[in-house]
Amino acid sequence: MYEEEKTAQTHSEIALCNLGVTLGVSGQDGGMKDERREIFRGFEKEVKVGGSVNEVELEGLTPNTEYTVTVYAMYGEEASDPMTSQQTTLPLTPARNLRFSNIDHSSARITWDASSRKIKGYRIMYVKTNGVQTTEVDVGSVTTWMLRNLTSLTEYTVGVFALYDEGQAEAVTDSFTTKTVPDPMDLRSSDVSADSFRVSWTHPASDVVMYRLTWTTTEGGDSDDVMVQGHVNTYLIKGLTPSTEYEVLLGAVYSNEVESDEVILVEITAERTTTVATTTTVAAAPRYGVRNLKVDEETTFSLRVSWQPVDVRNVRHYRLSYISAKGDRAEETRTVPTTQNSLILQPLLSDTEYKIAVTPVYPEGDGPTASRMGRTLPLSAPRNLRVSEEWYNRFRISWDVPPSPTMGYRVVYQPVSAPGPALETFVGEDVNTMLIVNLLSGTEYSVKVIASYTTGSSEALTGRAKTLYLGVTNLSTYQIKMTSMCAQWQPHRHASAYRVLIESLLNGQKQETKLSGGASRHCFNNLKSNTQYKISVYAQLQDGTEGPAVTANGKTLPVPTPAPTKPPTTTPLPTIPPAKEVCKAAKADLVFLVDGSWSIGDDNFLKIIRFLYSTCGALDRIGPDGTQVAIVQFSDDARTEFKLNSFNDKEQLLEAINRITYKGGNTKTGRAIQHVKENIFTAAGGVRRGIPNVLVVLTDGRSQDDVNKVSKEMQMEGYIVFAIGFADADYGELVSIASKPSDRHVFFVDDLDAFKKIEEKLVTFVCEAATATCPSVPMSGSTTPGFRMMELFGLVENRYNSFSGVSMVPGTFNTFTCFRLHSDAFLAQPTKFIHPEGLPSDYTITLLFRLLPNTPEEPFALWEVLNKNNEPLVGVILDNGGKTLTFFNNDYKGDFQTVTFEGPEIKKLFYGNFHKLHIAVSKTSAKVLIDCKMVSEKTINAAGNITTDGTEVLGRMVRSRGNRDNSAPFELQIFDIICSTSWASRDKCCELPGLRKEADCPAMPKACTCTQDSKGPAGPAGPPGGPGIRGARGDRGEPGPVGPTGPVGETGVAGPPGPQGPQGPSGRSIIGHPGSPGERGQKGDAGQQGSQGVPGRPGTVGREGPAGARGLPGKDGPPGRTGPAGSIGTPGAPGSPGNTGPSGKQGELGPPGPPGGKGEKGERGDLQSTASVQAIARQVCEQLIQSHMARYNSILNSAPSPPVSIRTVPGPPGEPGRPGPAGAQGEQGPPGRPGFPGQSGENGQPGERGQPGEKGEKGTQGIGVQGPRGPPGPPGAQGQGRPGNQGPTGRPGNPGTPGRPGVPGPVGSAGPPGYCDQNSCVGYNVGEGEEITERRTVSTVQLPPNVFQNYGEAEEDDPYGYYQPNYPAPRQVAPDDPALIQGEVGLSSPGVQRSARSVEGGEERVGTKRRLKKEAKTGLSK
C-alpha cells in the first residue's frame, strides 16, 4: 500500500476534527441555530454546516500549503467569537532510489522506483554540475531512461520529478561522472618493407568520426600526419627511409570534437637489398630490434624489464643500459643472453624515473635500439591510523599498509598532555596493529608510524589517542566546621578501592585512609580551625594500579568572636532624590527631546520640568562611569540645553534641569530628531562607544514636518527611542517615532497631570533599556536586549574599509551585506568597548556565515574573548579538519569547561554554504541550532563573568605561527548576541533562501517599498474595510463661512401648551412675517465610543460609485498556481566522503626473485639452539590462532560488576572481528552526490578582485632517519661458503586463512548487567571521558613501576583481556631524532579536546603517466 493512502490527511484535503467541539453540542444554548461556518484564510472560502456537525473534510487544497481555518457558531444572524487553527497539507510523494548504470563516455542509464500509483509521469532534468545549461525531458510513466550525447569526464547532476494532477513533487537527485573517451586498441604493424609498412587497429567505440595518424623518425625531424575516416581501421604508410626506426602515434576524434589520448607504435623499415652484377646473392642480412619492450613490477628499489625477441638465431646477446632521467648517475649496462627476455634492475633509487634501452647485438654489429621510461615507487607512508581497545594503561593502534613492500614499521609514541619521554619500537612488515602498554592514565599520546624500506624511511603517519581516565569526578567539600571537614565524589566505575588523603597547607600534617570501591564520601576530624586543607582522592583497581590524584581545597571555620558594639548613628536627610533599584545598573547615554511649542503653555512646561527632574532623580550614577544625560528643547528649531558630557554628578544635573526656560514656537519634531542625531549622539556631544543610546521624545501635538524618515533611520541604526504623547498628540505618529514593540516604547496621557500614572513604568523601561550589560537593539522589526556585534567590530558599510584584510561581498539573496575576512584580517576590539559589564548569565550567540575553499583545516575561533594575557575566556571554535563545533567558557568556580558538538548536522557548516548558527547558553546547558533547527544540547555548569581588560577577536587561529596571530578566511553576514535563550526558537531564519517566509519576515534590504515620497498609480478599489480604531481628537478648525439659508422645514410637532397669559385687548389677529433664523449653535462634544456591534447582514450590492482614493494595502492574496519549473540553479554543496571500498582479493605468490648478492656482515646475535627457535615460532603461531578465544574466555569468565544505584548503562565496545586476509588498498570512495541545483538566481554584479593570498612558508628541510640494511651489492665471484652463526629469531608469520564458520552453538544464559566506564561513554575509538572540570588541575602520575616488563601478560581484572605479541621492548627516542622534529603540534587553546581519528595520507598515483597528444601510452604491440 502506498504511503499517502495510509493517512486521512492527504495532499489536498484536511479533516477538521474537534474544532469548536463545545459549539457542536446542541441543546445547551437554546439560541444557537442549526448552522456553523468555516472560513479558510487565503482564498476566503466559506462553508456552512449544521449545528450538530463537528467534523468537515476540506478538499481541493494545494499540497504542502499551510491553511488557517476559522469556525464561528451562528446564533440567528449573530456570530460567536471565532476559533482558529492552522494545518498544513502533505507534500507530494517524490520518486525514490535513483541509480545509474551503463555509464560510458557519452551516455548513461538512469533508473528509479515509483512511489505512488497516482503519478501521471516523470520529468527528468540534468545539468553539468559545474554548468548552467539545463536539459529537461518529460518521459511518461516509465522508470528508466537513457541519457545520451553527454560530455566525457564530466559530472552530471540528475533530478527526477514525479508529476501528479496536483503538481510536481520534490526531485530525487544524484550525480554521476562520465568516463573518458576510449583510446584506439591493438595498434599493430604488418607488411614491413624498405619504404613502407601498414598499421592496423581496433575501433574503441561506435561514435569515432576521425583518426589522427602521425609518424616520425625516432631520431627527430619533421613529422607527417593524416586524418583517417572513422570507419577505417588500417592505413599503409609510404615514402619511408630504409633501415629507419619510426614512431607512430594514433588518436581517435569523437563526434563532440573530443580527442582521445594517443597510442604509440615503433617500427623499423627493412634494409634496401642490392644485387651485384655478377651474382644474385644479398649483400647484407637485415638486423631487427626487439619488440614490445615493457617496464613493470615496480618496487621502491627495482624495475622489471621484458621484451619480445626477434631473429634469435642471429643475435649473439642483448645489451641493456639504464640511466636516471635526471642524469645524476652514471649509465649502467647489463649483458643478457638470448635465452633470457627479461631482467630485474636493482638496486635503484626510489621515486626516480629511469630511461631503459635494449639493443640486440649481431655478429655484424648492433641492431636497432628500443627504449622505454620506467619509474620506481616512492617510499609510501602507512595510511588510516586507527585506535581501539582503550584502557587505563594501554590502547591498540592499527594502520593500513602502503602499496610498496616494506622492511617493517617504526612506532613512536609520546604523551602530549603530560610530561614523559618519547618511546619507540620496531615491528615486522607483516604487522599492521600493535597494542601499546604501560601508558599513563587519562593521558593523550601522539603516535607516529613510519614505514622502513631498504632505501630509507617514509614520512610519519601521525595521530592522537588517549587512555581512559582512572580518577573520581565531581570532588567537592561540604559540612566544613572548625575542626572537621567532609569530602564527596562521584565513584569510578572500575575502582575497587580509594586512598583518601588530607594535608594541611600550613604545616604539612596529613591524615590518610583507605575506603572500598563503593564509597563516595568521607569526613576528617581533629583538624585545626581557620586552616587551609587539600583533600586528594586516588582511585585504585583490583590489581593495585592507582590513578592520579583528584584534589579539592577547603578551609576550616575560624573560632567565632563577638562583634563589637557600634554607637548609634543618625542618617542625614537626603538632599537629592534616591536612585531606584532598577536604575542602579543603568549605564547609557540618555537624551530627552522636549516639546517647547506654544501649545504647551507656561504652566504645562513647568510640569514637564518636574517630570524631567523626577525621572533623572531616579538614576544612580551620573557621568562617564554611569548614565550621561542631555536635554534638547524644540519648536521651530532645536535648542541644546546641555550635552551628554556636561555634568558628572546628579546634583548639578538636577540644578540645570530647573534652570531650563520655556522656548515657544511651532512643532517641528522631525527637524528636532535630526538635530539630536547629528549634534548630540556624536563624539563631540559626549557619546560613548559600546554604551546604549536612548532617546525620550515628549510632544503634545502632530508634527508640522516629516518624522517618519529620520525615525526609521534612528531605529535601524540601533537607537532606543521612547515616545510620550499628551493632550492632542497623534498616536500613529508616536508609534512611527518609537522603537518596537510599541507597547513598551509608546506612552500616551490625556494631560500632564497624569504623568504620575506612567512615570514608574517609564522609568523602569528606560532604565532596563539603559542597562549596559544587555542594551536594547533592533532585531527582526522589534527591539530586543542584546549586542549587534557586527557594528561593534566595525563591520558596517561605512567603516569596514578602515580595516585591512576585510572586503564587502554579496550575502544571501545577493541583497544582504556580507564581509569576507581574509587571512591577514585580525579583527580585535577591547572588551570594555563591547561588553563593558561583561556577559549575562543566559544568552544566545547568533552567527550567519560560511567557510571558503581556502579556509584552513586547523581549528579556529569564530569569536572568542581573551584576557590581558591572551588566554581564552569564552568563545566558539570550528575544527574544519575534524568537522566539529566547540563552545568553551569558565564556570562559576573558575574552571575551564568545553562542550564539543559533532554529527551530520554539524558537518553542514563545513560544506561552503551559508548557515545560521544559534548557540543558546544557559546556567545548565549549551544548546546548538543550525538553520533554526534543533541539533544538540549538552550540560554545562553556570558560567562566571568575564574580565573586561582584554580583547575580543574574530577568526583567530587556535594555533599561532610565529609571533603573530593568524586569521582564518571566512565570510560573516550576521553576528549578534541576544540576552535570552529563547531567541533561537523565535528566530525565523529570514536570511536563508530555503527558510524565508515573506509573510513572517521583514522586507529585505534595498527592497522596493512604498513611501510618502514615491506613489504609484491608483490601484483598483479594495473591498470595504472594517471599522478602524478611534482616532485621536483633531485640532479645532477655523470657523467656516455662513452657509446659505436652507429650505423651509416641515411643520414641527405641536409643542406643549404654554402658561396662561394675561388677558389681552380684543382685536383682530394679523399673521406677521416669519422671524429671521437664529444663530447656529456650536458643535457638541463627541460622544463616547459605543460598544462593539454584532455583524450586520450582508447588504445589497450598491451602485458603482466614483473611483475612490488609494486604499490601504490589502491582505496578501491567495497563493497562485504552481508555476513552471525554473531553470536549474547553482550546484549544491559537495557531499560527504563515500565509504571505503571493499578489500580486494589476496594476490598470488609472485615468482622467486633472482639470487641476491652477498650482504654486509650483520651484528652477532644471541645464541639460540635450533630447538628453541622452532619452539618460539610454534608458540607465536599458536598464540595468533588462539588469541581471539582468549579474549572471549576472558569476557565470559569475568565476574559480574557490582550493581550501582545510578542506572544500568551499556558496556564497553566488543572486541574487533576476526581479521580477514589482507587485500589491496581500496580506492577512495566517490564524493557524495551534490544536491540538485535550485532555480537560477539573477546574475549578480561582478565582485571585486580578491586580495592575493599569503605566500606560503618555506618548507623545512626533510630529515631522514637511518634505515635498515642497504641494498645488496653486485654479484661476487662464486666461492665456498660455510654455515654462519644462528641468526635472531624471526618475526611472527602472517595469520593463517580463517577457518570456515562453525556450527552455531546453543543460546547461552543471560549475561551479567552491562556496564559503562564513565570515561569511555562518549564514543568508540575516541578515548575521551565525560566532561570533567577538575581534570585540568589533576597531576598525572606514572602507573606501577613495572615499565617494559609485562609485554605479553594479561591483567586478571581487565574486562577486555588482551594478547600482546613478543615485540621488541620499546626504547627511548633521542631528543634530536627526526621523528620528533616532524611531530604534530597540539592545540594551544586550553580545553579543546580532539578525538583520535584516522589520518589518511594523500593517495599517490604510481606508474608511468599517460602521454597526451605527442606522447603516448607505454604499451606497444605489433
Side-chain angles (χ1 to χ4, degrees), residues 383-421:
R383 300 176 182 174
N384 192 17
L385 184 61
R386 306 176 296 279
V387 61
S388 61
E389 300 181 25
E390 298 96 329
W391 194 239
Y392 300 101
N393 61 347
R394 68 170 187 272
F395 51 73
R396 178 177 295 278
I397 61 169
S398 305
W399 60 91
D400 294 343
V401 299
S404 308
T406 68
M407 298 288 292
Y409 301 95
R410 180 186 181 205
V411 180
V412 181
Y413 53 97
Q414 182 181 21
V416 294
S417 58

Coordinates of all heavy atoms in Angstrom, one line a residue, residues 383-421:
R383 N 48.8 4.3 6.0 CA 47.6 5.1 6.0 C 46.6 4.7 7.0 O 46.7 3.6 7.5 CB 47.0 5.1 4.6 CG 47.9 5.5 3.4 CD 47.3 5.3 2.1 NE 48.2 5.7 1.0 CZ 47.9 5.5 -0.3 NH1 46.8 5.0 -0.7 NH2 48.8 5.9 -1.2
N384 N 45.6 5.6 7.2 CA 44.4 5.3 8.0 C 44.8 4.8 9.4 O 44.4 3.7 9.8 CB 43.5 4.3 7.2 CG 42.2 4.1 7.9 OD1 41.7 5.0 8.6 ND2 41.5 3.1 7.5
L385 N 45.4 5.6 10.2 CA 45.7 5.3 11.6 C 44.5 5.2 12.4 O 43.7 6.2 12.4 CB 46.7 6.3 12.1 CG 47.3 6.0 13.5 CD1 48.0 4.6 13.5 CD2 48.2 7.1 14.0
R386 N 44.3 4.1 13.2 CA 43.1 4.0 14.0 C 43.5 3.6 15.4 O 44.5 3.0 15.6 CB 42.2 2.9 13.4 CG 41.8 3.2 11.9 CD 41.0 2.0 11.3 NE 41.7 0.8 11.2 CZ 42.5 0.4 10.3 NH1 42.8 1.3 9.3 NH2 43.1 -0.8 10.3
V387 N 42.6 3.8 16.3 CA 42.8 3.5 17.7 C 41.6 2.7 18.2 O 40.5 3.0 17.9 CB 43.1 4.7 18.6 CG1 41.9 5.6 18.6 CG2 43.5 4.3 20.0
S388 N 41.9 1.7 19.1 CA 40.8 0.9 19.7 C 41.3 0.3 21.0 O 42.5 0.5 21.4 CB 40.4 -0.2 18.7 OG 41.5 -1.1 18.4
E389 N 40.5 -0.4 21.7 CA 40.8 -1.1 22.9 C 41.4 -0.2 23.9 O 42.4 -0.5 24.6 CB 41.7 -2.3 22.6 CG 41.0 -3.4 21.7 CD 41.9 -4.6 21.5 OE1 42.8 -4.8 22.3 OE2 41.8 -5.2 20.4
E390 N 40.9 1.0 24.1 CA 41.5 1.9 25.1 C 41.2 1.4 26.5 O 40.1 0.9 26.8 CB 40.8 3.3 24.9 CG 41.1 4.0 23.6 CD 39.9 3.8 22.6 OE1 39.3 2.7 22.7 OE2 39.7 4.7 21.8
W391 N 42.2 1.5 27.3 CA 42.1 1.1 28.7 C 42.9 2.1 29.5 O 43.4 3.1 29.0 CB 42.6 -0.3 28.9 CG 42.3 -1.0 30.2 CD1 43.1 -1.5 31.2 CD2 40.9 -1.2 30.8 NE1 42.4 -2.0 32.2 CE2 41.1 -1.8 32.0 CE3 39.7 -0.9 30.3 CZ2 40.0 -2.1 32.8 CZ3 38.6 -1.3 31.1 CH2 38.7 -1.9 32.3
Y392 N 43.0 1.9 30.8 CA 43.6 2.9 31.7 C 45.2 3.0 31.5 O 45.8 4.0 31.8 CB 43.3 2.6 33.1 CG 41.8 2.6 33.4 CD1 41.1 1.4 33.5 CD2 41.2 3.8 33.5 CE1 39.8 1.4 33.7 CE2 39.8 3.8 33.7 CZ 39.1 2.7 33.8 OH 37.7 2.7 34.0
N393 N 45.8 1.9 31.0 CA 47.2 2.0 30.8 C 47.6 1.5 29.4 O 48.8 1.1 29.2 CB 47.9 1.2 31.9 CG 47.5 -0.3 31.8 OD1 46.6 -0.7 31.1 ND2 48.3 -1.2 32.5
R394 N 46.8 1.5 28.4 CA 47.1 1.0 27.1 C 46.0 1.3 26.1 O 44.9 1.7 26.4 CB 47.3 -0.5 27.1 CG 46.0 -1.3 27.3 CD 46.2 -2.8 27.1 NE 44.9 -3.5 27.1 CZ 44.3 -4.0 28.1 NH1 44.9 -3.8 29.3 NH2 43.1 -4.5 28.1
F395 N 46.4 1.2 24.8 CA 45.4 1.2 23.7 C 46.1 0.5 22.5 O 47.3 0.3 22.5 CB 45.0 2.7 23.4 CG 46.1 3.6 23.1 CD1 46.9 3.6 22.0 CD2 46.4 4.6 24.1 CE1 48.0 4.5 21.8 CE2 47.4 5.5 23.9 CZ 48.2 5.4 22.7
R396 N 45.3 0.1 21.6 CA 45.7 -0.5 20.4 C 45.7 0.4 19.2 O 44.7 1.2 19.0 CB 44.9 -1.8 20.1 CG 45.3 -2.5 18.8 CD 44.5 -3.8 18.6 NE 44.8 -4.7 19.6 CZ 45.8 -5.6 19.6 NH1 46.7 -5.5 18.6 NH2 46.0 -6.4 20.6
I397 N 46.7 0.4 18.4 CA 46.7 1.2 17.1 C 46.8 0.2 16.0 O 47.4 -0.9 16.0 CB 47.9 2.2 17.1 CG1 49.2 1.5 17.1 CG2 47.8 3.2 18.1 CD1 50.4 2.3 16.8
S398 N 46.1 0.6 14.9 CA 46.1 -0.2 13.6 C 46.3 0.8 12.5 O 46.0 2.0 12.6 CB 44.8 -1.0 13.5 OG 44.6 -1.8 14.6
W399 N 46.9 0.3 11.4 CA 47.1 1.1 10.2 C 47.0 0.2 9.0 O 47.0 -1.0 9.0 CB 48.4 1.8 10.3 CG 49.6 0.9 10.3 CD1 50.3 0.3 9.3 CD2 50.2 0.3 11.5 NE1 51.3 -0.5 9.7 CE2 51.3 -0.5 11.1 CE3 49.9 0.5 12.9 CZ2 52.1 -1.2 12.0 CZ3 50.7 -0.2 13.8 CH2 51.8 -1.1 13.3
D400 N 46.8 0.9 7.8 CA 46.8 0.2 6.5 C 48.2 0.2 5.9 O 48.8 1.3 5.9 CB 45.8 0.9 5.6 CG 44.3 0.7 6.1 OD1 44.1 -0.2 6.9 OD2 43.5 1.5 5.6
V401 N 48.6 -0.9 5.4 CA 50.0 -1.0 4.9 C 50.1 -0.2 3.6 O 49.1 -0.1 2.8 CB 50.4 -2.4 4.7 CG1 50.4 -3.2 6.1 CG2 49.5 -3.1 3.7
P402 N 51.2 0.3 3.2 CA 51.3 1.0 2.0 C 51.4 0.0 0.8 O 51.7 -1.2 1.0 CB 52.7 1.8 2.2 CG 53.4 1.0 3.2 CD 52.4 0.4 4.1
P403 N 51.3 0.5 -0.4 CA 51.3 -0.4 -1.5 C 52.7 -0.9 -1.8 O 52.9 -2.0 -2.4 CB 50.8 0.4 -2.7 CG 51.1 1.9 -2.3 CD 50.9 1.9 -0.8
S404 N 53.7 -0.2 -1.4 CA 55.1 -0.7 -1.6 C 55.5 -1.7 -0.5 O 55.2 -1.5 0.6 CB 56.1 0.5 -1.6 OG 55.6 1.5 -2.5
P405 N 56.3 -2.7 -0.9 CA 56.8 -3.7 0.2 C 57.8 -3.0 1.1 O 58.6 -2.2 0.7 CB 57.4 -4.8 -0.7 CG 57.8 -4.1 -2.0 CD 56.7 -3.1 -2.2
T406 N 57.6 -3.2 2.4 CA 58.4 -2.6 3.4 C 59.3 -3.6 4.1 O 59.2 -4.8 3.9 CB 57.5 -1.9 4.4 OG1 56.8 -2.9 5.2 CG2 56.5 -1.0 3.8
M407 N 60.2 -3.1 4.9 CA 61.1 -3.9 5.7 C 60.5 -4.0 7.1 O 60.9 -4.9 7.9 CB 62.5 -3.3 5.9 CG 63.2 -3.2 4.5 SD 63.8 -4.8 4.0 CE 65.0 -5.2 5.2
G408 N 59.5 -3.2 7.5 CA 58.9 -3.2 8.8 C 58.4 -1.8 9.1 O 58.4 -0.9 8.3
Y409 N 58.0 -1.6 10.4 CA 57.4 -0.3 10.8 C 58.0 0.1 12.1 O 58.2 -0.7 13.0 CB 55.9 -0.4 10.9 CG 55.2 -0.8 9.6 CD1 54.9 -2.1 9.4 CD2 54.9 0.1 8.7 CE1 54.3 -2.5 8.2 CE2 54.3 -0.2 7.5 CZ 54.0 -1.6 7.3 OH 53.4 -2.0 6.1
R410 N 58.3 1.4 12.2 CA 58.8 2.0 13.4 C 57.7 2.8 14.1 O 57.0 3.6 13.4 CB 60.0 3.0 13.1 CG 60.6 3.7 14.3 CD 61.6 4.7 13.9 NE 62.2 5.4 15.0 CZ 62.8 6.6 14.9 NH1 62.8 7.2 13.8 NH2 63.3 7.1 16.0
V411 N 57.4 2.5 15.3 CA 56.3 3.1 16.0 C 56.8 3.9 17.2 O 57.6 3.4 18.0 CB 55.3 2.0 16.6 CG1 54.2 2.6 17.4 CG2 54.8 1.1 15.5
V412 N 56.5 5.2 17.1 CA 57.0 6.2 18.1 C 55.8 6.8 18.8 O 54.8 7.2 18.2 CB 57.8 7.3 17.4 CG1 58.3 8.3 18.5 CG2 59.0 6.7 16.6
Y413 N 55.8 6.9 20.1 CA 54.7 7.4 20.9 C 55.2 8.2 22.1 O 56.2 7.9 22.7 CB 53.7 6.3 21.4 CG 54.3 5.2 22.1 CD1 54.3 5.2 23.5 CD2 54.9 4.1 21.5 CE1 54.9 4.1 24.2 CE2 55.4 3.1 22.2 CZ 55.5 3.1 23.6 OH 56.0 2.0 24.3
Q414 N 54.5 9.3 22.4 CA 54.9 10.2 23.4 C 53.7 10.9 24.0 O 52.8 11.3 23.3 CB 55.9 11.3 22.9 CG 56.5 12.2 23.9 CD 57.4 13.2 23.3 OE1 57.4 13.5 22.1 NE2 58.3 13.9 24.1
P415 N 53.6 11.1 25.3 CA 52.5 11.8 25.9 C 52.6 13.3 25.5 O 53.6 13.9 25.5 CB 52.6 11.6 27.4 CG 54.1 11.3 27.6 CD 54.5 10.6 26.4
V416 N 51.4 13.9 25.2 CA 51.4 15.3 24.9 C 50.6 16.1 25.9 O 50.8 17.3 26.0 CB 50.7 15.5 23.5 CG1 51.5 14.9 22.4 CG2 49.3 14.9 23.5
S417 N 49.7 15.5 26.7 CA 49.0 16.2 27.8 C 49.7 16.0 29.1 O 49.1 16.5 30.1 CB 47.6 15.7 27.8 OG 47.5 14.3 28.1
A418 N 50.8 15.4 29.2 CA 51.6 15.2 30.4 C 53.0 15.0 30.1 O 53.4 14.6 29.0 CB 51.1 14.0 31.2
P419 N 54.0 15.4 31.0 CA 55.4 15.2 30.7 C 55.7 13.7 30.6 O 55.2 12.9 31.3 CB 56.1 15.9 31.8 CG 55.1 15.9 32.9 CD 53.8 16.0 32.3
G420 N 56.6 13.4 29.7 CA 57.1 12.0 29.6 C 57.9 11.8 28.4 O 57.9 12.6 27.4
P421 N 58.8 10.8 28.4 CA 59.7 10.6 27.2 C 59.0 10.0 26.0 O 58.0 9.4 26.1 CB 60.8 9.6 27.8 CG 60.0 8.8 28.8 CD 59.0 9.8 29.4

